[in-house]
Amino acid sequence: MFLSSISSCRNDKCSKKDSCLRYTTENNNIRSETYLVLTEEECEKSKSYINKDEYYKKMILNAINEIPKDDLDKKYLLELCYSLLEISKKYGLDIKIQEKINLLKD
């Protein structure tokens, strides 16, 4: 969802490519993406660097704090929480996301 709405970068010389959400290779590209090749200076100046860990942690916390508006929203949020369960372990948020899942199942 998020990746298809941003421009990705293919700067193989970038020292941040392993931690940047924007970095992609030709092997993992998604149709409809726009590709950029930014130098680190350009990336810094335009604030184009998106740290994967910060983004994923924020996404998990948003799901934990989200209050569903109706039954459909509740179902969507429950599915989202299930999909984030595995990655939440990396950030020590697995117990909180499991609690959210249990709350949504009731």
Side-chain angles (χ1 to χ4, degrees), residues 21-105:
L21 188 64
R22 285 189 186 269
Y23 182 75
T24 189
T25 64
E26 291 183 30
N27 297 334
N28 67 358
N29 61 10
I30 298 172
R31 256 187 273 154
S32 82
E33 284 188 81
T34 303
Y35 300 102
L36 308 170
V37 178
L38 297 172
T39 64
E40 288 191 52
E41 293 79 22
E42 291 170 326
C43 190
E44 195 70 38
K45 184 178 177 182
S46 65
K47 309 271 189 262
S48 296
Y49 171 70
I50 302 172
N51 182 285
K52 283 181 188 179
D53 289 326
E54 289 173 14
Y55 177 78
Y56 293 142
K57 187 174 181 180
K58 184 177 178 184
M59 182 179 13
I60 294 164
L61 288 171
N62 284 344
I64 290 168
N65 295 323
E66 180 71 25
I67 298 171
K69 297 170 190 72
D70 54 31
D71 286 342
L72 186 60
D73 204 24
K74 185 176 179 179
K75 182 178 178 180
Y76 168 75
L77 187 56
L78 181 60
E79 288 179 24
L80 177 64
C81 288
Y82 275 123
S83 71
L84 294 172
L85 191 55
E86 189 61 36
I87 195 168
S88 68
K89 293 175 186 175
K90 179 177 180 181
Y91 305 104
L93 295 169
D94 51 317
I95 293 172
K96 286 187 177 186
I97 201 104
Q98 186 61 58
E99 289 171 352
K100 183 69 172 195
I101 288 170
N102 293 340
L103 182 69
L104 292 168
K105 287 187 339 185

